[in-house]
Amino acid sequence: MRLSILLFTVLLVHLSSASNVFQSAITKDAKVWKVQAIQKLWDERKKMYHTPLELLNITGTPRTQFYIKNETASPSGTLKHRFVWMLLMWAVTEGKVTRNSTVYDSTSGNTGASEAYMCRLLGLTFVAVVSKDLEDAKIKQITQFGGEIMKVEAAERNAMAAKMAEERAGFFINQFGNADAAEEFYESGNWPYESANVFHEIGVKLRELKRPLPHYFVHSAGTVVLTGCL
């Protein structure tokens, strides 16, 4: 009897040790993935660099120059590219998105396309919860970067994205609810890890053009849609 207890105890010790080693390997792999994911996002930041700042020729305003910053000239072809970059950077660094995560979000097209792009970059599955009436062009905008589509009633998009993420152990990235966590409010100057704050880019470009900073900054309604004006 004592021998059986001893053997059982030894077996438990070995199983516990093997479990600890296995858990340690998982933790190490997760850390490696996180570091690599963050580096991929920084490489993407360098790749997308600055979207064009273009001078508009508007007659009748001889003392005023108008510039527009074209956010659609991005790798994913949408004006939400930089915003989604910040959103994924936040989600990865905070540990909300890991190597096995499936990312869900409610979208009407632009954000979903950029989310699909960024998730593919990191090797993640992205599911866009969209209105059942969303036009084909918008759906193609998402699927061209590997995004999956789930169609629901327009009013149910947010609730369904949250529900699917919870039921399937994914992450509802919630572009609306987490926008404040993703936005960058700092000025990076000449630091190599450059701020994705759009006004930082405007300042850099205007200094290159030897122009002063704007007297007025005009921002249209939306998450990151904007025009700059001086």
mmCIF file of all heavy atoms in Angstrom, residues 147-196:
data_model
loop_
_atom_site.group_PDB
_atom_site.id
_atom_site.type_symbol
_atom_site.label_atom_id
_atom_site.label_comp_id
_atom_site.label_asym_id
_atom_site.label_seq_id
_atom_site.Cartn_x
_atom_site.Cartn_y
_atom_site.Cartn_z
ATOM 1 N N GLY A 147 -10.440 39.096 -44.757
ATOM 2 C CA GLY A 147 -11.474 39.217 -43.740
ATOM 3 C C GLY A 147 -12.673 38.332 -44.039
ATOM 4 O O GLY A 147 -13.017 38.123 -45.199
ATOM 5 N N GLU A 148 -13.273 37.804 -42.989
ATOM 6 C CA GLU A 148 -14.492 37.011 -43.126
ATOM 7 C C GLU A 148 -15.698 37.907 -42.843
ATOM 8 O O GLU A 148 -15.600 38.883 -42.107
ATOM 9 C CB GLU A 148 -14.461 35.828 -42.160
ATOM 10 C CG GLU A 148 -13.300 34.876 -42.425
ATOM 11 C CD GLU A 148 -13.240 33.732 -41.426
ATOM 12 O OE1 GLU A 148 -14.220 33.563 -40.660
ATOM 13 O OE2 GLU A 148 -12.218 33.020 -41.401
ATOM 14 N N ILE A 149 -16.831 37.559 -43.422
ATOM 15 C CA ILE A 149 -18.034 38.394 -43.334
ATOM 16 C C ILE A 149 -19.155 37.671 -42.591
ATOM 17 O O ILE A 149 -19.427 36.503 -42.853
ATOM 18 C CB ILE A 149 -18.535 38.779 -44.742
ATOM 19 C CG1 ILE A 149 -17.453 39.554 -45.515
ATOM 20 C CG2 ILE A 149 -19.822 39.589 -44.646
ATOM 21 C CD1 ILE A 149 -17.112 40.907 -44.943
ATOM 22 N N MET A 150 -19.795 38.384 -41.670
ATOM 23 C CA MET A 150 -20.999 37.898 -41.006
ATOM 24 C C MET A 150 -22.071 38.965 -41.181
ATOM 25 O O MET A 150 -21.912 40.089 -40.692
ATOM 26 C CB MET A 150 -20.742 37.637 -39.521
ATOM 27 C CG MET A 150 -21.985 37.178 -38.765
ATOM 28 S SD MET A 150 -21.644 36.878 -37.002
ATOM 29 C CE MET A 150 -20.575 35.450 -37.124
ATOM 30 N N LYS A 151 -23.150 38.623 -41.884
ATOM 31 C CA LYS A 151 -24.199 39.609 -42.158
ATOM 32 C C LYS A 151 -25.340 39.499 -41.143
ATOM 33 O O LYS A 151 -25.819 38.399 -40.853
ATOM 34 C CB LYS A 151 -24.756 39.407 -43.574
ATOM 35 C CG LYS A 151 -23.759 39.736 -44.680
ATOM 36 C CD LYS A 151 -24.420 39.616 -46.041
ATOM 37 C CE LYS A 151 -23.470 40.011 -47.161
ATOM 38 N NZ LYS A 151 -24.129 39.965 -48.489
ATOM 39 N N VAL A 152 -25.742 40.663 -40.620
ATOM 40 C CA VAL A 152 -26.847 40.726 -39.665
ATOM 41 C C VAL A 152 -27.660 41.991 -39.946
ATOM 42 O O VAL A 152 -27.305 42.787 -40.817
ATOM 43 C CB VAL A 152 -26.333 40.751 -38.211
ATOM 44 C CG1 VAL A 152 -25.541 39.497 -37.886
ATOM 45 C CG2 VAL A 152 -25.486 41.992 -37.956
ATOM 46 N N GLU A 153 -28.725 42.182 -39.205
ATOM 47 C CA GLU A 153 -29.456 43.436 -39.282
ATOM 48 C C GLU A 153 -28.540 44.570 -38.814
ATOM 49 O O GLU A 153 -27.750 44.390 -37.885
ATOM 50 C CB GLU A 153 -30.704 43.393 -38.398
ATOM 51 C CG GLU A 153 -31.759 42.376 -38.838
ATOM 52 C CD GLU A 153 -32.433 42.771 -40.137
ATOM 53 O OE1 GLU A 153 -32.354 43.963 -40.526
ATOM 54 O OE2 GLU A 153 -33.046 41.890 -40.783
ATOM 55 N N ALA A 154 -28.638 45.712 -39.463
ATOM 56 C CA ALA A 154 -27.731 46.821 -39.160
ATOM 57 C C ALA A 154 -27.713 47.168 -37.683
ATOM 58 O O ALA A 154 -26.649 47.432 -37.100
ATOM 59 C CB ALA A 154 -28.117 48.045 -39.994
ATOM 60 N N ALA A 155 -28.867 47.169 -37.039
ATOM 61 C CA ALA A 155 -28.963 47.559 -35.634
ATOM 62 C C ALA A 155 -28.353 46.522 -34.690
ATOM 63 O O ALA A 155 -28.132 46.806 -33.514
ATOM 64 C CB ALA A 155 -30.426 47.796 -35.259
ATOM 65 N N GLU A 156 -28.061 45.322 -35.203
ATOM 66 C CA GLU A 156 -27.553 44.240 -34.355
ATOM 67 C C GLU A 156 -26.047 44.038 -34.472
ATOM 68 O O GLU A 156 -25.495 43.138 -33.835
ATOM 69 C CB GLU A 156 -28.262 42.932 -34.725
ATOM 70 C CG GLU A 156 -29.767 42.966 -34.496
ATOM 71 C CD GLU A 156 -30.453 41.704 -34.990
ATOM 72 O OE1 GLU A 156 -29.750 40.831 -35.532
ATOM 73 O OE2 GLU A 156 -31.681 41.601 -34.847
ATOM 74 N N ARG A 157 -25.383 44.852 -35.268
ATOM 75 C CA ARG A 157 -23.966 44.618 -35.555
ATOM 76 C C ARG A 157 -23.097 44.601 -34.301
ATOM 77 O O ARG A 157 -22.322 43.659 -34.073
ATOM 78 C CB ARG A 157 -23.443 45.652 -36.553
ATOM 79 C CG ARG A 157 -23.961 45.473 -37.967
ATOM 80 C CD ARG A 157 -23.453 46.566 -38.888
ATOM 81 N NE ARG A 157 -23.842 47.883 -38.393
ATOM 82 C CZ ARG A 157 -23.356 49.029 -38.864
ATOM 83 N NH1 ARG A 157 -22.442 49.023 -39.821
ATOM 84 N NH2 ARG A 157 -23.775 50.179 -38.390
ATOM 85 N N ASN A 158 -23.176 45.639 -33.498
ATOM 86 C CA ASN A 158 -22.330 45.715 -32.302
ATOM 87 C C ASN A 158 -22.616 44.565 -31.340
ATOM 88 O O ASN A 158 -21.687 43.923 -30.829
ATOM 89 C CB ASN A 158 -22.536 47.055 -31.584
ATOM 90 C CG ASN A 158 -21.730 48.179 -32.217
ATOM 91 O OD1 ASN A 158 -21.051 47.971 -33.228
ATOM 92 N ND2 ASN A 158 -21.809 49.356 -31.641
ATOM 93 N N ALA A 159 -23.901 44.328 -31.081
ATOM 94 C CA ALA A 159 -24.276 43.267 -30.145
ATOM 95 C C ALA A 159 -23.816 41.901 -30.652
ATOM 96 O O ALA A 159 -23.328 41.066 -29.866
ATOM 97 C CB ALA A 159 -25.782 43.277 -29.931
ATOM 98 N N MET A 160 -23.941 41.666 -31.958
ATOM 99 C CA MET A 160 -23.542 40.375 -32.517
ATOM 100 C C MET A 160 -22.021 40.199 -32.481
ATOM 101 O O MET A 160 -21.517 39.104 -32.191
ATOM 102 C CB MET A 160 -24.051 40.238 -33.948
ATOM 103 C CG MET A 160 -23.778 38.864 -34.569
ATOM 104 S SD MET A 160 -24.509 37.493 -33.625
ATOM 105 C CE MET A 160 -26.253 37.743 -33.981
ATOM 106 N N ALA A 161 -21.288 41.257 -32.775
ATOM 107 C CA ALA A 161 -19.819 41.171 -32.719
ATOM 108 C C ALA A 161 -19.361 40.829 -31.304
ATOM 109 O O ALA A 161 -18.480 39.985 -31.107
ATOM 110 C CB ALA A 161 -19.202 42.484 -33.180
ATOM 111 N N ALA A 162 -19.968 41.477 -30.314
ATOM 112 C CA ALA A 162 -19.624 41.203 -28.911
ATOM 113 C C ALA A 162 -20.007 39.780 -28.526
ATOM 114 O O ALA A 162 -19.250 39.068 -27.845
ATOM 115 C CB ALA A 162 -20.320 42.213 -28.000
ATOM 116 N N LYS A 163 -21.177 39.337 -28.966
ATOM 117 C CA LYS A 163 -21.672 37.996 -28.646
ATOM 118 C C LYS A 163 -20.784 36.916 -29.258
ATOM 119 O O LYS A 163 -20.409 35.941 -28.593
ATOM 120 C CB LYS A 163 -23.099 37.858 -29.165
ATOM 121 C CG LYS A 163 -23.775 36.520 -28.876
ATOM 122 C CD LYS A 163 -25.230 36.575 -29.337
ATOM 123 C CE LYS A 163 -25.972 35.269 -29.009
ATOM 124 N NZ LYS A 163 -25.539 34.168 -29.869
ATOM 125 N N MET A 164 -20.431 37.072 -30.528
ATOM 126 C CA MET A 164 -19.596 36.086 -31.198
ATOM 127 C C MET A 164 -18.209 36.004 -30.566
ATOM 128 O O MET A 164 -17.653 34.917 -30.385
ATOM 129 C CB MET A 164 -19.461 36.440 -32.690
ATOM 130 C CG MET A 164 -20.722 36.229 -33.504
ATOM 131 S SD MET A 164 -21.249 34.488 -33.591
ATOM 132 C CE MET A 164 -22.537 34.474 -32.330
ATOM 133 N N ALA A 165 -17.661 37.161 -30.211
ATOM 134 C CA ALA A 165 -16.336 37.181 -29.577
ATOM 135 C C ALA A 165 -16.373 36.456 -28.241
ATOM 136 O O ALA A 165 -15.466 35.684 -27.903
ATOM 137 C CB ALA A 165 -15.869 38.619 -29.404
ATOM 138 N N GLU A 166 -17.426 36.674 -27.479
ATOM 139 C CA GLU A 166 -17.542 36.027 -26.163
ATOM 140 C C GLU A 166 -17.751 34.524 -26.302
ATOM 141 O O GLU A 166 -17.108 33.731 -25.612
ATOM 142 C CB GLU A 166 -18.705 36.644 -25.384
ATOM 143 C CG GLU A 166 -18.865 36.067 -23.986
ATOM 144 C CD GLU A 166 -19.975 36.719 -23.199
ATOM 145 O OE1 GLU A 166 -20.675 37.594 -23.753
ATOM 146 O OE2 GLU A 166 -20.153 36.342 -22.021
ATOM 147 N N GLU A 167 -18.614 34.126 -27.195
ATOM 148 C CA GLU A 167 -18.935 32.705 -27.356
ATOM 149 C C GLU A 167 -17.773 31.914 -27.947
ATOM 150 O O GLU A 167 -17.619 30.720 -27.654
ATOM 151 C CB GLU A 167 -20.167 32.546 -28.243
ATOM 152 C CG GLU A 167 -21.462 33.006 -27.589
ATOM 153 C CD GLU A 167 -22.671 32.807 -28.491
ATOM 154 O OE1 GLU A 167 -22.464 32.457 -29.685
ATOM 155 O OE2 GLU A 167 -23.811 33.000 -28.023
ATOM 156 N N ARG A 168 -16.963 32.570 -28.775
ATOM 157 C CA ARG A 168 -15.897 31.852 -29.481
ATOM 158 C C ARG A 168 -14.505 32.215 -28.973
ATOM 159 O O ARG A 168 -13.506 31.985 -29.649
ATOM 160 C CB ARG A 168 -16.002 32.144 -30.982
ATOM 161 C CG ARG A 168 -17.365 31.730 -31.552
ATOM 162 C CD ARG A 168 -17.494 32.046 -33.025
ATOM 163 N NE ARG A 168 -18.840 31.726 -33.526
ATOM 164 C CZ ARG A 168 -19.221 31.848 -34.785
ATOM 165 N NH1 ARG A 168 -18.363 32.292 -35.691
ATOM 166 N NH2 ARG A 168 -20.457 31.546 -35.144
ATOM 167 N N ALA A 169 -14.453 32.790 -27.766
ATOM 168 C CA ALA A 169 -13.182 33.143 -27.124
ATOM 169 C C ALA A 169 -12.326 34.043 -28.007
ATOM 170 O O ALA A 169 -11.102 33.909 -28.064
ATOM 171 C CB ALA A 169 -12.405 31.870 -26.754
ATOM 172 N N GLY A 170 -13.000 34.952 -28.709
ATOM 173 C CA GLY A 170 -12.283 35.934 -29.529
ATOM 174 C C GLY A 170 -12.198 37.267 -28.815
ATOM 175 O O GLY A 170 -12.376 37.344 -27.594
ATOM 176 N N PHE A 171 -11.925 38.319 -29.577
ATOM 177 C CA PHE A 171 -11.865 39.655 -29.001
ATOM 178 C C PHE A 171 -12.661 40.621 -29.862
ATOM 179 O O PHE A 171 -12.422 40.740 -31.064
ATOM 180 C CB PHE A 171 -10.412 40.145 -28.895
ATOM 181 C CG PHE A 171 -10.300 41.540 -28.323
ATOM 182 C CD1 PHE A 171 -10.759 41.832 -27.052
ATOM 183 C CD2 PHE A 171 -9.752 42.573 -29.081
ATOM 184 C CE1 PHE A 171 -10.678 43.117 -26.526
ATOM 185 C CE2 PHE A 171 -9.654 43.856 -28.561
ATOM 186 C CZ PHE A 171 -10.122 44.117 -27.280
ATOM 187 N N PHE A 172 -13.625 41.292 -29.238
ATOM 188 C CA PHE A 172 -14.404 42.337 -29.890
ATOM 189 C C PHE A 172 -13.600 43.626 -29.776
ATOM 190 O O PHE A 172 -13.550 44.244 -28.726
ATOM 191 C CB PHE A 172 -15.764 42.458 -29.197
ATOM 192 C CG PHE A 172 -16.618 43.603 -29.685
ATOM 193 C CD1 PHE A 172 -16.587 44.025 -31.019
ATOM 194 C CD2 PHE A 172 -17.474 44.261 -28.807
ATOM 195 C CE1 PHE A 172 -17.377 45.074 -31.465
ATOM 196 C CE2 PHE A 172 -18.277 45.312 -29.243
ATOM 197 C CZ PHE A 172 -18.226 45.720 -30.563
ATOM 198 N N ILE A 173 -12.964 44.028 -30.868
ATOM 199 C CA ILE A 173 -12.033 45.153 -30.793
ATOM 200 C C ILE A 173 -12.755 46.492 -30.674
ATOM 201 O O ILE A 173 -12.182 47.460 -30.179
ATOM 202 C CB ILE A 173 -11.065 45.133 -32.000
ATOM 203 C CG1 ILE A 173 -9.809 45.947 -31.697
ATOM 204 C CG2 ILE A 173 -11.753 45.582 -33.277
ATOM 205 C CD1 ILE A 173 -8.651 45.667 -32.625
ATOM 206 N N ASN A 174 -14.003 46.560 -31.106
ATOM 207 C CA ASN A 174 -14.896 47.686 -30.844
ATOM 208 C C ASN A 174 -14.277 49.037 -31.218
ATOM 209 O O ASN A 174 -13.849 49.809 -30.349
ATOM 210 C CB ASN A 174 -15.312 47.691 -29.370
ATOM 211 C CG ASN A 174 -16.500 48.601 -29.112
ATOM 212 O OD1 ASN A 174 -16.980 49.310 -30.002
ATOM 213 N ND2 ASN A 174 -16.989 48.581 -27.884
ATOM 214 N N GLN A 175 -14.254 49.319 -32.492
ATOM 215 C CA GLN A 175 -13.631 50.551 -32.985
ATOM 216 C C GLN A 175 -14.235 51.813 -32.374
ATOM 217 O O GLN A 175 -13.543 52.834 -32.254
ATOM 218 C CB GLN A 175 -13.776 50.622 -34.509
ATOM 219 C CG GLN A 175 -15.215 50.612 -34.989
ATOM 220 C CD GLN A 175 -15.363 51.041 -36.426
ATOM 221 O OE1 GLN A 175 -14.838 52.077 -36.835
ATOM 222 N NE2 GLN A 175 -16.061 50.233 -37.227
ATOM 223 N N PHE A 176 -15.488 51.751 -31.976
ATOM 224 C CA PHE A 176 -16.139 52.931 -31.397
ATOM 225 C C PHE A 176 -15.857 53.040 -29.904
ATOM 226 O O PHE A 176 -15.456 54.085 -29.403
ATOM 227 C CB PHE A 176 -17.644 52.876 -31.658
ATOM 228 C CG PHE A 176 -17.993 52.735 -33.113
ATOM 229 C CD1 PHE A 176 -18.511 51.545 -33.608
ATOM 230 C CD2 PHE A 176 -17.772 53.783 -33.996
ATOM 231 C CE1 PHE A 176 -18.826 51.408 -34.941
ATOM 232 C CE2 PHE A 176 -18.073 53.659 -35.341
ATOM 233 C CZ PHE A 176 -18.603 52.463 -35.819
ATOM 234 N N GLY A 177 -16.036 51.938 -29.191
ATOM 235 C CA GLY A 177 -15.847 51.963 -27.746
ATOM 236 C C GLY A 177 -14.411 52.093 -27.310
ATOM 237 O O GLY A 177 -14.138 52.560 -26.201
ATOM 238 N N ASN A 178 -13.462 51.684 -28.170
ATOM 239 C CA ASN A 178 -12.046 51.729 -27.794
ATOM 240 C C ASN A 178 -11.250 52.769 -28.571
ATOM 241 O O ASN A 178 -10.012 52.765 -28.528
ATOM 242 C CB ASN A 178 -11.413 50.345 -27.995
ATOM 243 C CG ASN A 178 -11.968 49.327 -27.023
ATOM 244 O OD1 ASN A 178 -12.178 49.618 -25.846
ATOM 245 N ND2 ASN A 178 -12.224 48.124 -27.505
ATOM 246 N N ALA A 179 -11.930 53.672 -29.250
ATOM 247 C CA ALA A 179 -11.230 54.686 -30.044
ATOM 248 C C ALA A 179 -10.303 55.538 -29.180
ATOM 249 O O ALA A 179 -9.192 55.891 -29.595
ATOM 250 C CB ALA A 179 -12.233 55.579 -30.771
ATOM 251 N N ASP A 180 -10.739 55.845 -27.962
ATOM 252 C CA ASP A 180 -9.918 56.704 -27.101
ATOM 253 C C ASP A 180 -8.631 56.009 -26.684
ATOM 254 O O ASP A 180 -7.592 56.658 -26.495
ATOM 255 C CB ASP A 180 -10.704 57.135 -25.868
ATOM 256 C CG ASP A 180 -11.158 55.962 -25.017
ATOM 257 O OD1 ASP A 180 -11.343 54.856 -25.576
ATOM 258 O OD2 ASP A 180 -11.329 56.139 -23.794
ATOM 259 N N ALA A 181 -8.667 54.682 -26.558
ATOM 260 C CA ALA A 181 -7.467 53.940 -26.181
ATOM 261 C C ALA A 181 -6.474 53.864 -27.328
ATOM 262 O O ALA A 181 -5.266 53.727 -27.114
ATOM 263 C CB ALA A 181 -7.851 52.527 -25.736
ATOM 264 N N ALA A 182 -6.980 53.946 -28.547
ATOM 265 C CA ALA A 182 -6.117 53.809 -29.716
ATOM 266 C C ALA A 182 -5.492 55.121 -30.156
ATOM 267 O O ALA A 182 -4.415 55.138 -30.746
ATOM 268 C CB ALA A 182 -6.908 53.215 -30.879
ATOM 269 N N GLU A 183 -6.160 56.242 -29.898
ATOM 270 C CA GLU A 183 -5.660 57.519 -30.388
ATOM 271 C C GLU A 183 -4.352 57.904 -29.691
ATOM 272 O O GLU A 183 -4.164 57.659 -28.508
ATOM 273 C CB GLU A 183 -6.693 58.630 -30.170
ATOM 274 C CG GLU A 183 -7.939 58.476 -31.019
ATOM 275 C CD GLU A 183 -7.688 58.724 -32.501
ATOM 276 O OE1 GLU A 183 -6.556 59.088 -32.868
ATOM 277 O OE2 GLU A 183 -8.618 58.544 -33.283
ATOM 278 N N GLU A 184 -3.457 58.517 -30.451
ATOM 279 C CA GLU A 184 -2.192 59.006 -29.903
ATOM 280 C C GLU A 184 -2.239 60.528 -29.842
ATOM 281 O O GLU A 184 -2.577 61.183 -30.819
ATOM 282 C CB GLU A 184 -1.016 58.567 -30.780
ATOM 283 C CG GLU A 184 -0.795 57.070 -30.761
ATOM 284 C CD GLU A 184 0.417 56.651 -31.568
ATOM 285 O OE1 GLU A 184 0.720 57.312 -32.573
ATOM 286 O OE2 GLU A 184 1.059 55.683 -31.187
ATOM 287 N N PHE A 185 -1.866 61.052 -28.693
ATOM 288 C CA PHE A 185 -1.952 62.492 -28.505
ATOM 289 C C PHE A 185 -0.582 63.134 -28.322
ATOM 290 O O PHE A 185 -0.482 64.296 -27.960
ATOM 291 C CB PHE A 185 -2.829 62.792 -27.276
ATOM 292 C CG PHE A 185 -4.212 62.237 -27.384
ATOM 293 C CD1 PHE A 185 -4.564 61.072 -26.719
ATOM 294 C CD2 PHE A 185 -5.166 62.852 -28.183
ATOM 295 C CE1 PHE A 185 -5.854 60.544 -26.827
ATOM 296 C CE2 PHE A 185 -6.446 62.330 -28.299
ATOM 297 C CZ PHE A 185 -6.783 61.183 -27.621
ATOM 298 N N TYR A 186 0.472 62.376 -28.556
ATOM 299 C CA TYR A 186 1.807 62.919 -28.303
ATOM 300 C C TYR A 186 2.508 63.325 -29.592
ATOM 301 O O TYR A 186 2.168 62.887 -30.674
ATOM 302 C CB TYR A 186 2.663 61.909 -27.532
ATOM 303 C CG TYR A 186 3.036 60.679 -28.328
ATOM 304 C CD1 TYR A 186 4.198 60.660 -29.107
ATOM 305 C CD2 TYR A 186 2.244 59.536 -28.304
ATOM 306 C CE1 TYR A 186 4.553 59.541 -29.830
ATOM 307 C CE2 TYR A 186 2.590 58.412 -29.039
ATOM 308 C CZ TYR A 186 3.747 58.421 -29.792
ATOM 309 O OH TYR A 186 4.090 57.306 -30.517
ATOM 310 N N GLU A 187 3.518 64.161 -29.446
ATOM 311 C CA GLU A 187 4.367 64.576 -30.563
ATOM 312 C C GLU A 187 5.704 63.858 -30.422
ATOM 313 O O GLU A 187 6.375 63.967 -29.391
ATOM 314 C CB GLU A 187 4.559 66.101 -30.528
ATOM 315 C CG GLU A 187 5.644 66.632 -31.446
ATOM 316 C CD GLU A 187 5.461 66.189 -32.898
ATOM 317 O OE1 GLU A 187 4.343 66.353 -33.425
ATOM 318 O OE2 GLU A 187 6.427 65.661 -33.474
ATOM 319 N N SER A 188 6.086 63.076 -31.429
ATOM 320 C CA SER A 188 7.287 62.239 -31.331
ATOM 321 C C SER A 188 8.550 62.930 -31.809
ATOM 322 O O SER A 188 9.647 62.394 -31.652
ATOM 323 C CB SER A 188 7.078 60.949 -32.124
ATOM 324 O OG SER A 188 6.838 61.244 -33.493
ATOM 325 N N GLY A 189 8.426 64.121 -32.422
ATOM 326 C CA GLY A 189 9.614 64.813 -32.905
ATOM 327 C C GLY A 189 10.379 63.967 -33.910
ATOM 328 O O GLY A 189 9.790 63.422 -34.850
ATOM 329 N N ASN A 190 11.674 63.798 -33.684
ATOM 330 C CA ASN A 190 12.509 63.012 -34.597
ATOM 331 C C ASN A 190 12.753 61.592 -34.097
ATOM 332 O O ASN A 190 13.621 60.896 -34.593
ATOM 333 C CB ASN A 190 13.862 63.720 -34.805
ATOM 334 C CG ASN A 190 13.696 65.045 -35.518
ATOM 335 O OD1 ASN A 190 12.875 65.172 -36.422
ATOM 336 N ND2 ASN A 190 14.456 66.045 -35.097
ATOM 337 N N TRP A 191 12.014 61.185 -33.079
ATOM 338 C CA TRP A 191 12.170 59.837 -32.551
ATOM 339 C C TRP A 191 11.841 58.821 -33.635
ATOM 340 O O TRP A 191 10.870 58.990 -34.376
ATOM 341 C CB TRP A 191 11.225 59.663 -31.359
ATOM 342 C CG TRP A 191 11.538 58.490 -30.481
ATOM 343 C CD1 TRP A 191 12.764 58.111 -30.022
ATOM 344 C CD2 TRP A 191 10.606 57.542 -29.954
ATOM 345 N NE1 TRP A 191 12.664 56.995 -29.228
ATOM 346 C CE2 TRP A 191 11.352 56.615 -29.175
ATOM 347 C CE3 TRP A 191 9.229 57.387 -30.048
ATOM 348 C CZ2 TRP A 191 10.761 55.551 -28.501
ATOM 349 C CZ3 TRP A 191 8.635 56.328 -29.368
ATOM 350 C CH2 TRP A 191 9.392 55.427 -28.604
ATOM 351 N N PRO A 192 12.643 57.756 -33.785
ATOM 352 C CA PRO A 192 12.404 56.797 -34.880
ATOM 353 C C PRO A 192 11.071 56.072 -34.790
ATOM 354 O O PRO A 192 10.506 55.683 -35.814
ATOM 355 C CB PRO A 192 13.580 55.816 -34.756
ATOM 356 C CG PRO A 192 14.110 55.995 -33.368
ATOM 357 C CD PRO A 192 13.868 57.425 -33.037
ATOM 358 N N TYR A 193 10.558 55.869 -33.560
ATOM 359 C CA TYR A 193 9.238 55.263 -33.418
ATOM 360 C C TYR A 193 8.211 56.389 -33.481
ATOM 361 O O TYR A 193 7.775 56.935 -32.488
ATOM 362 C CB TYR A 193 9.140 54.471 -32.109
ATOM 363 C CG TYR A 193 10.028 53.256 -32.111
ATOM 364 C CD1 TYR A 193 11.263 53.265 -31.489
ATOM 365 C CD2 TYR A 193 9.631 52.096 -32.778
ATOM 366 C CE1 TYR A 193 12.094 52.150 -31.511
ATOM 367 C CE2 TYR A 193 10.446 50.981 -32.815
ATOM 368 C CZ TYR A 193 11.671 51.007 -32.174
ATOM 369 O OH TYR A 193 12.484 49.897 -32.221
ATOM 370 N N GLU A 194 7.840 56.689 -34.705
ATOM 371 C CA GLU A 194 7.096 57.909 -34.990
ATOM 372 C C GLU A 194 5.630 57.823 -34.585
ATOM 373 O O GLU A 194 4.968 56.805 -34.780
ATOM 374 C CB GLU A 194 7.193 58.196 -36.487
ATOM 375 C CG GLU A 194 6.661 59.546 -36.889
ATOM 376 C CD GLU A 194 6.885 59.819 -38.371
ATOM 377 O OE1 GLU A 194 7.140 58.863 -39.118
ATOM 378 O OE2 GLU A 194 6.788 60.976 -38.769
ATOM 379 N N SER A 195 5.126 58.901 -34.035
ATOM 380 C CA SER A 195 3.717 58.989 -33.668
ATOM 381 C C SER A 195 2.844 58.830 -34.918
ATOM 382 O O SER A 195 3.184 59.314 -35.996
ATOM 383 C CB SER A 195 3.424 60.336 -33.010
ATOM 384 O OG SER A 195 2.039 60.524 -32.842
ATOM 385 N N ALA A 196 1.709 58.158 -34.733
ATOM 386 C CA ALA A 196 0.738 58.043 -35.824
ATOM 387 C C ALA A 196 -0.314 59.140 -35.728
ATOM 388 O O ALA A 196 -1.287 59.124 -36.479
ATOM 389 C CB ALA A 196 0.073 56.671 -35.809
#
